[in-house]
Amino acid sequence: MSVFADFHALQSVPVANLNRDDLGSPKSVKYGNASRLRVSSQSWKRVIRHGVEADLGEKAARTRLVPVKVAEKLRDQDWPEDLAAFAGAQVAASASAKKPLKVEQAGHTSVLLFLPESGIEELTTLCTLHREALEKGLGKKNPGALLPPAHVEEILKRRTASISLLGRMLAELPGANVDGAAQVAHAFTTHAAEPQRDYFTAVDDWLPSDATGSGHLNTAEFGAGVFYRFASVNLTDLITNLDGDAKAARTVLASFAEQFLMSLPQAKKNSTAPHTVPDLAYLAVRRHRPLSLAAAFETPVRADNAGGFSGPSRQALAAYARGIHRLTADAHRPFHGHAAVSGNTLEGIGEEHPSFAGLIEATVDAALTAHGSRP
């Protein structure tokens, strides 16, 4: 039976446009017959991934530019332009003994690759070792694979902790797929909310003294609200992806927990600076399956007498959790707890912890104990 660590957060975000649609408007969703603001899982997952990689000191890159980056490294080593470009293309051509990766006219692969950044240096070194073969193949119509496919494939299929955590989809390279251990939901406002328009101008500092008006004017859209956020990590799968290393899994899980709570998508940050943190974090360890509490907000929350949504959202989440725990008789949940900015009692969501750090530590300990691994 799998063990899951579930992460729930309520976060008030002021004027912001964290995640835009194709027209530049904040993304939205209709839920419970009410329009809500939304932040896509991809948007928040990306900034979480970068935070985890920074914590662990091992960066990965999701990119189509592997051949281009290899060629750049080789040019920096004084390789001729044509030979460097050919060598970069050979990385894709030699990626598999059965079927090469396609390279488009601009020199990038037709699919996104996801590999450790150190892989670029390794591929560059591999090209250097096989420079003679590359020089002989330069200019040939069908030179074939001039780099050892097994070695190139091994580099492209290598994992980092973030790849083990979040997964990798690469059907073009057999054996490269990694089923991610983490699931991240789209965040949405607990209450009805719609984008608002902002008319703005920019002043030209060097206008003549007799000139009036602005140098630029435009409109932009933004939104604000209290967001419900949810993610879950399958600890069993994470340990499997990490080749059974429970100690590494502890580090990765703790890093994910902190980044889930403390990260924020960076769109429009210079003009909005919406740098809040959650005012409620609820973490739980579950067996059998994860459990989202999104349905707590299917009926949109109404503002309290003071006009705020944060307090009613915390109460709505706790009330719904109590109902769900009654229905399930608290089965398959060896641990849960919360940390909140408010001192008001929130029954039904476990013991209150004074800090995120304490809550995270208790959750990770409980998850590894439930899995049968020593904390």
Side-chain angles (χ1 to χ4, degrees):
M1 184 180 293
S2 294
V3 173
F4 297 86
D6 285 355
F7 305 89
H8 311 260
L10 291 174
Q11 184 166 352
S12 178
V13 179
V15 177
N17 190 347
L18 299 180
N19 187 207
R20 289 166 278 179
D21 65 15
D22 57 332
L23 299 177
S25 302
K27 290 187 176 180
S28 61
V29 64
K30 193 168 186 178
Y31 184 47
N33 201 32
S35 295
R36 322 292 183 96
L37 298 177
R38 175 175 63 90
V39 179
S40 72
S41 58
Q42 299 94 323
S43 176
W44 226 304
K45 189 187 298 184
R46 176 178 169 81
V47 69
I48 290 172
R49 172 171 70 87
H50 287 168
V52 170
E53 290 172 351
D55 283 348
L56 304 180
E58 51 173 28
K59 291 187 177 181
R62 191 188 302 273
T63 181
R64 298 167 64 192
L65 299 178
V66 169
V68 175
K69 291 298 182 181
V70 170
E72 288 177 358
K73 290 284 185 181
L74 293 172
R75 284 196 296 272
D76 290 343
Q77 298 175 14
D78 296 326
W79 280 46
E81 177 72 31
D82 57 348
L83 183 60
F86 178 67
Q90 271 294 309
V91 169
S94 306
S96 173
K98 296 182 179 180
K99 187 178 180 180
L101 295 176
K102 293 181 180 179
V103 176
E104 299 184 355
Q105 188 172 3
H108 50 244
T109 56
S110 59
V111 295
L112 280 166
L113 302 175
F114 192 14
L115 72 161
E117 284 190 359
S118 60
I120 300 299
E121 292 289 350
E122 295 180 67
L123 290 167
T124 302
T125 300
L126 188 64
C127 290
T128 301
L129 292 173
H130 294 271
R131 178 167 180 164
E132 184 177 349
L134 293 169
E135 288 174 335
K136 290 180 179 178
L138 180 64
K140 290 185 178 179
K141 187 175 181 179
N142 294 302
L146 302 178
L147 301 174
H151 197 165
V152 175
E153 186 174 340
E154 189 273 330
I155 294 172
L156 295 179
K157 289 165 62 174
R158 197 166 295 158
R159 303 179 186 179
T160 61
S162 64
I163 293 173
S164 295
L165 176 69
L166 298 169
R168 175 173 60 200
M169 176 62 184
L170 187 57
E172 289 77 5
L173 200 60
N177 289 350
V178 179
D179 290 330
Q183 301 176 14
V184 180
H186 291 240
F188 63 92
T189 53
T190 63
H191 50 88
E194 294 184 350
Q196 301 174 55
R197 297 181 70 84
D198 174 36
Y199 170 81
F200 66 92
T201 64
V203 176
D204 188 327
D205 289 335
W206 285 0
L207 277 177
S209 59
D210 59 345
T212 60
S214 63
H216 173 77
L217 58 87
N218 206 339
T219 58
E221 293 192 51
F222 63 87
V226 177
F227 287 82
Y228 170 72
R229 301 171 50 211
F230 172 71
S232 182
V233 174
N234 185 327
L235 180 62
T236 305
D237 285 352
L238 179 60
I239 291 176
T240 298
N241 288 349
L242 293 171
D243 298 323
D245 190 340
K247 184 177 180 180
R250 177 189 181 90
T251 301
V252 173
L253 183 61
S255 175
F256 178 87
E258 180 176 3
Q259 294 302 326
F260 173 82
L261 294 176
M262 300 302 291
S263 66
L264 195 72
Q266 299 296 292
K268 292 282 188 179
K269 65 177 181 179
N270 288 354
S271 57
T272 59
H275 299 300
T276 60
V277 297
D279 51 57
L280 171 66
Y282 171 51
L283 276 56
V285 175
R286 302 185 185 277
R287 296 188 181 94
H288 185 59
R289 54 158 288 181
L291 199 163
S292 169
L293 299 177
F297 308 108
E298 192 266 345
T299 298
V301 168
R302 293 188 177 185
D304 59 19
N305 291 336
F309 291 106
S310 292
S313 296
R314 292 192 292 268
Q315 294 297 332
L317 184 141
Y320 184 79
R322 289 195 298 272
I324 290 295
H325 296 157
R326 173 178 51 79
L327 289 175
T328 59
D330 290 333
H332 309 300
R333 196 206 63 225
F335 170 86
H336 67 155
H338 71 280
V341 69
S342 171
N344 297 337
T345 301
L346 294 170
E347 297 180 357
I349 53 175
E351 178 184 354
E352 183 174 6
H353 294 255
S355 68
F356 290 156
L359 176 59
I360 290 171
E361 183 177 7
T363 304
V364 173
D365 284 346
L368 287 166
T369 298
H371 181 266
S373 302
R374 298 181 65 182

